[in-house]
Amino acid sequence: MTEVLLAFWDGAFGSVYAVLSATLVRATPLLFVGLAVALAFRAGVLNIGAEGQLIVGAIGASAVALAIPAWPRPVVIVLMLVAGAVAGGLWAGIAAVLRRRFHVLEVISTLMLNFVAAALIGWVVRGPLQEPTRVYPMSESFSAAARWPFLVPGQRLHLGFVLGLVTAAVLWYVLQHTAAGFRVRAVGAGARAAASAGAVPVARVASRAFLASGMLAGLAGASEVGGVTWALYEGISPGYGYTAIAVALLARLDPRWVIVTAIGFGALEAGGAAMQRSAGVPAVAVQIVTAAVLLSVLALSRWRARDRDEASA
Amino acid sequence: MSASALALTDIHKTFGDTRALDGASCTIRRGSIHALLGENGAGKTTLMRIAFGMIAADQGQITRHGAPVHFRSERESIAAGIGMVHQHFMLIPAFTVAENIALGGRGRLDAVAAAETVRRIGAATGLAIDPQARIADLPVGAQQRTEIVRALAHDADVLILDEPTAVLTPTESDELYRWMRRFADGGGAVVLITHRVREALAVADDVTVLRRGRSVLQGVAKSLTEDAAVTAIVGDRLAPDVSAALMPTDGEVLFALEAAAVRDADGRQRLRPTQLLVRSGEILGVLGVEGSGQRELLRLLAGRLAPSEGRVQRPDVVGFVPEDRLHDAVIPAFSLTENTTLAEAGALRGRVDWSRETVRAQTIVSDHDVRASGVQATMRSLSGGNQQRFVVGRERQRSPRALVAENPTRGLDVRATARVLETIRAVALAGGAAVVYSTDLDEILSLTRRVVVCFDGFVREVSAPADAEDRTPYARALVGADA
């Protein structure tokens, strides 16, 4: 048992390498998708399609990286980010339009679009973006210009992590200190009051938050292909978009806490992988622990909310 | 066998600190139609929900054919032969008539047998409905028939109908009344909960009037005059203090409705074309029982609803105090400061200056005597009275000249009520205009002598009687006695 926990600890925090090349690298996409889910949920939009939006964002960023391999590196990186965000936003946009025009529940449409995105990337890596030999279901490796810089020499932590931290700070500021962010929070916390007392265009605000959420998830995809894989693979995400829901909920939808929970889940993934390698414990064990923790925390917070409501009633 | 099909004696029921029933009694004879009359909140529905086993009485006795009974659930009362058709139908819209009727049974959902039952009851009673029709596709009258047929399918001999004609056209209502009479002639008993006095006296055999949770009149419909019934409904309460009531003015027109009407999503006319002027210095009192069009009238004036016909002229910013404050006026999870900002949320641009917003919230709190631990406290943590004083204060702060308030003192204690009414009066006295809807006639009369009454979507101005303390004309208009 001790051996297992030691292996877990070593894999997650045990060394500089574990932190900078495993935990934080895995935390990076979780940070972006966690923020994406937090933003949507704050607006009362149950976007559980971060997974699909991440995948489509990865496709968009890869298409740019492969199209302009010889352009200056900063330009390529910026365009990859733009492409990732736009692609993720468009993917969320499908569900946003269905929600606003036809009242299709976004829980269903975004979940369905995750499967469509999985099928789409399967086709892309065997079709338009397949490597030239046409043997492997993956794209050509990116040129040096499209490979994002590492933050620490010899470690795998890349530019995406810093961008994620900046994004969290910006999102927190927008939600807490701008009129647009206040409207998002008001729509999520009390749509009827926002419309009746504040003349807030509820449907428009929710739709825009939905699009922005998709864009954030798309950034996760861009960051993965630019910072980690340097090529587009079918299995680009091991379910980051689903873990994101836990990341966001545990952070109580606060962007500042998303940084903490994203790193926490990054550590769980890194430690779980190490545990499997050196102690032979299946990584599924980590998922079981994760799920148990999440359920307990959510039950506890519900319970507290109920106590509070009863106390005030 | 006793002649009483169902008797409720000295029923008491308290919700929180509201006394809903305070010694209500009602005896329903076999073979009769029994009208249960009273104002909003008089306890009619609560009493019948107790009879139907939906809620338990704190105290009191229920007998069925003379024998004491205790219903712990609707299932038990249904098994004992009582049926109730609620104001809001309890049907599943996506299911067919037959499926909805089969739902009440135990075990397998037998829609085929239920369809047969629907046909059989239809043939026997004239309440014909297509058992295969989906509820959602049926007009409201047919949905109501489905509810009645469902009760009959469970062999009900006492049928409680809660405001059944509120959703019906006059022809449909007549048809329902004729059916009720046949049902009673066949040995059944019908309880008709209603606020329409004239109709009740015309169709019922017996009448019980509830006022503030007590049965104040039990008698035979034939021997009752409309006036006697109305007096019993409104009561001989102490005359309201009308000394401070504001008079109509001929000042500047602040609100004007020109043939403004409202239809709901189903095309039903909620407010019929209305002409109305409200001038500077006036308070317009609005009366009306639930669903008479006052909700739409207030929202038109407040700019929260666009007219489907006609025109509305109103000031640019109108303060609005909606009835359901926790859903429509404030966000319970937000702080007082955030709820202050909420009122401007749609128009705000750029950065929110929270220090300025905090000061604005503090001003509301101190000017309007809101008791809170601070402006960072959540709205949820305040008592209802303090929440309401906050809302009224906020709306007054943003629009000093025009205020529309919907039942603004509901659920408030004396002190909070006085404070809210004072603020409303202050708006008019400062040269603005206020429109106030209240279910409390005395409250309206203490505010203003300019009153309109909504009934059935019509808005009628009631000219103030010579005697300022005379409430009869309002009371009559309110229950549709002159309609």
Side-chain angles (χ1 to χ4, degrees):
Chain A
M1 189 62 202
T2 327
E3 189 197 344
V4 175
L5 290 178
L6 273 178
F8 183 88
W9 175 257
D10 283 347
F13 295 112
S15 61
V16 173
Y17 179 85
V19 175
L20 294 184
S21 292
T23 293
L24 293 186
V25 172
R26 289 181 188 247
T28 301
L30 291 176
L31 187 48
F32 281 109
V33 281
L35 294 171
V37 172
L39 171 59
F41 281 24
R42 270 294 183 88
V45 173
L46 297 178
N47 175 17
I48 55 169
E51 181 76 4
Q53 292 142 21
L54 178 154
I55 289 172
V56 177
I59 296 173
S62 301
V64 166
L66 295 167
I68 50 171
W71 288 29
R73 196 183 194 192
V75 177
V76 176
I77 291 175
V78 168
L79 289 180
M80 284 174 75
L81 285 167
V82 170
V86 168
L90 284 175
W91 205 247
I94 299 171
V97 168
L98 288 174
R99 172 187 152 110
R100 197 165 162 185
R101 289 261 181 283
F102 306 106
H103 304 286
V104 176
L105 291 179
E106 70 274 11
V107 173
I108 295 169
S109 59
T110 52
L111 186 65
M112 292 299 157
L113 283 167
N114 286 346
F115 298 116
V116 179
L120 180 69
I121 195 172
W123 170 72
V124 166
V125 295
R126 289 181 184 81
L129 293 185
Q130 194 174 18
E131 46 85 31
T133 64
R134 300 262 162 198
V135 175
Y136 303 103
M138 58 179 284
S139 77
E140 194 180 352
S141 265
F142 294 173
S143 68
R147 299 180 182 194
W148 294 10
F150 292 120
L151 296 178
V152 180
Q155 302 291 349
R156 290 170 54 211
L157 188 62
H158 57 89
L159 176 67
F161 184 68
V162 174
L163 293 179
L165 293 179
V166 171
T167 307
V170 169
L171 184 61
W172 174 80
Y173 182 84
V174 167
L175 284 174
Q176 293 306 318
H177 290 283
T178 69
F182 182 73
R183 279 191 284 271
V184 167
R185 291 196 289 129
V187 164
R192 267 174 62 184
S196 170
V200 174
V202 170
R204 190 192 310 162
V205 168
S207 295
R208 286 184 181 173
F210 202 165
L211 292 186
S213 166
M215 293 174 79
L216 290 176
L219 287 178
S223 157
E224 276 303 277
V225 292
V228 178
T229 62
W230 299 338
L232 188 65
Y233 293 92
E234 199 168 2
I236 190 80
S237 167
Y240 288 132
Y242 296 109
T243 310
I245 299 166
V247 168
L249 288 178
L250 273 185
R252 302 175 71 179
L253 311 183
D254 182 333
R256 294 172 301 180
W257 282 98
V258 167
I259 299 174
V260 177
T261 54
I263 292 174
F265 275 91
L268 280 175
E269 299 225 352
M275 206 168 72
Q276 185 167 20
R277 276 196 307 274
S278 45
V281 175
V284 180
V286 170
Q287 288 175 22
I288 293 172
V289 173
T290 311
V293 167
L294 184 68
L295 285 174
S296 321
V297 170
L298 289 180
L300 198 66
S301 68
R302 278 280 112 200
W303 190 36
R304 281 212 192 120
R306 205 188 55 191
D307 276 2
R308 190 188 52 208
D309 289 347
E310 277 173 4
S312 67
Chain B
M1 196 191 263
S2 159
S4 92
L6 179 69
L8 295 109
T9 317
D10 198 26
I11 305 286
H12 292 257
K13 177 71 191 178
T14 315
F15 294 110
D17 39 51
T18 319
R19 195 168 284 178
L21 290 176
D22 188 18
S25 300
C26 182
T27 303
I28 294 127
R29 291 183 298 122
R30 275 158 33 91
S32 75
I33 298 176
H34 194 113
L36 191 55
L37 295 169
E39 284 183 303
N40 275 346
K44 304 178 298 252
T45 301
T46 307
L47 183 64
M48 283 304 122
R49 285 188 174 164
I50 287 171
F52 192 49
M54 288 175 78
I55 43 183
D58 297 339
Q59 202 184 310
Q61 204 194 19
I62 307 175
T63 60
R64 187 96 168 84
H65 302 304
V69 284
H70 283 280
F71 299 135
R72 279 165 304 185
S73 68
E74 292 114 297
R75 189 175 280 281
E76 290 186 11
S77 64
I78 290 169
I82 299 176
M84 183 162 179
V85 177
H86 301 275
Q87 204 171 351
H88 302 284
F89 301 149
M90 309 281 177
L91 296 167
I92 300 179
F95 279 18
T96 64
V97 169
E99 284 165 343
N100 266 288
I101 283 165
L103 266 183
R106 282 182 189 275
R108 203 167 65 87
L109 185 86
D110 193 347
V112 179
E116 193 40 54
T117 310
V118 172
R119 283 195 202 92
R120 181 170 52 77
I121 293 173
T125 64
L127 293 169
I129 337 162
D130 172 9
Q132 306 307 337
R134 247 166 38 103
I135 294 297
D137 301 333
L138 289 176
V140 134
Q143 294 185 16
Q144 190 177 59
R145 282 203 296 281
T146 308
E147 285 268 20
I148 296 173
V149 168
R150 174 157 70 182
L152 298 180
H154 293 108
D155 298 321
D157 68 329
V158 175
L159 202 54
I160 304 164
L161 305 174
D162 192 354
E163 299 282 2
T165 55
V167 295
L168 299 183
T169 62
T171 331
E172 286 175 321
S173 301
D174 289 345
E175 209 173 292
L176 177 69
Y177 288 140
R178 277 199 299 277
W179 177 82
M180 281 163 50
R181 176 53 62 201
R182 284 202 300 277
F183 181 69
D185 287 348
V190 179
V191 181
L192 173 66
I193 303 179
T194 185
H195 58 255
R196 301 188 186 205
V197 178
R198 177 168 297 173
E199 290 179 21
L201 293 183
V203 301
D205 302 301
D206 300 337
V207 174
T208 296
V209 175
L210 288 187
R211 189 171 73 227
R212 301 189 174 197
R214 290 169 185 276
S215 35
V216 291
L217 180 95
Q218 288 174 277
V220 179
K222 265 198 217 94
S223 64
L224 260 183
T225 63
E226 207 169 295
D227 281 344
V230 170
T231 309
I233 290 169
V234 234
D236 42 11
R237 280 170 279 178
L238 283 174
D241 177 11
V242 295
S243 54
L246 300 190
M247 293 295 182
T249 68
D250 52 3
E252 176 197 351
V253 172
L254 290 182
F255 293 94
L257 296 189
E258 293 164 28
V262 175
R263 281 178 191 281
D264 63 15
D266 300 331
R268 275 166 56 88
Q269 192 139 34
R270 310 301 308 199
L271 184 70
R272 294 170 204 279
T274 302
Q275 299 290 132
L276 191 66
L277 296 181
V278 187
R279 294 171 186 276
S280 148
E282 276 184 347
I283 297 175
L284 175 72
V286 180
L287 296 166
V289 294
E290 185 70 30
S292 299
Q294 74 279 4
R295 191 184 160 79
E296 288 74 17
L297 174 66
L298 259 66
R299 277 165 180 70
L300 273 188
L301 294 170
R304 262 60 176 188
L305 186 68
S308 41
E309 297 155 43
R311 275 167 34 84
V312 179
Q313 179 204 319
R314 54 181 184 81
D316 288 337
V317 181
V318 179
F320 181 42
V321 181
E323 176 161 24
D324 188 353
R325 60 177 165 264
L326 287 179
H327 284 112
D328 290 334
V330 295
I331 296 178
F334 275 18
S335 68
L336 300 194
T337 305
E338 287 172 316
N339 272 297
T340 305
T341 312
L342 180 66
E344 316 298 335
L348 273 180
R349 294 290 170 263
R351 201 169 155 270
V352 181
D353 183 351
W354 285 117
S355 53
R356 199 187 61 128
E357 297 301 309
T358 304
V359 172
R360 293 209 308 136
Q362 278 159 348
T363 312
I364 296 172
V365 165
S366 58
D367 286 1
H368 293 271
D369 192 24
V370 179
R371 307 276 167 90
S373 58
V375 290
Q376 289 316 315
T378 58
M379 186 55 70
R380 178 186 278 130
S381 68
L382 270 60
S383 72
N386 282 303
Q387 289 171 348
Q388 188 69 339
R389 282 203 295 274
F390 175 86
V391 172
V392 173
R394 179 186 73 186
E395 296 303 309
R396 165 122 166 91
Q397 193 187 48
R398 48 188 302 258
S399 174
R401 288 204 74 195
L403 191 63
V404 174
E406 184 178 37
N407 240 343
T409 63
R410 181 171 170 175
L412 303 193
D413 62 17
V414 182
R415 198 178 67 92
T417 300
R419 186 83 205 198
V420 165
L421 296 183
E422 195 182 303
T423 308
I424 290 169
R425 222 176 254 127
V427 171
L429 289 175
V435 178
V436 183
Y437 163 75
S438 175
T439 45
D440 186 341
L441 174 58
D442 290 354
E443 181 170 296
I444 292 290
L445 295 185
S446 72
L447 277 174
T448 181
R449 298 213 66 201
R450 180 150 188 244
V451 175
V452 293
V453 173
C454 296
F455 191 81
D456 235 3
F458 289 103
V459 178
R460 288 200 303 137
E461 181 128 19
V462 176
S463 44
D467 174 6
E469 292 179 2
D470 181 9
R471 283 163 296 163
T472 347
Y474 306 107
R476 290 181 61 87
L478 195 55
V479 292
D482 294 330

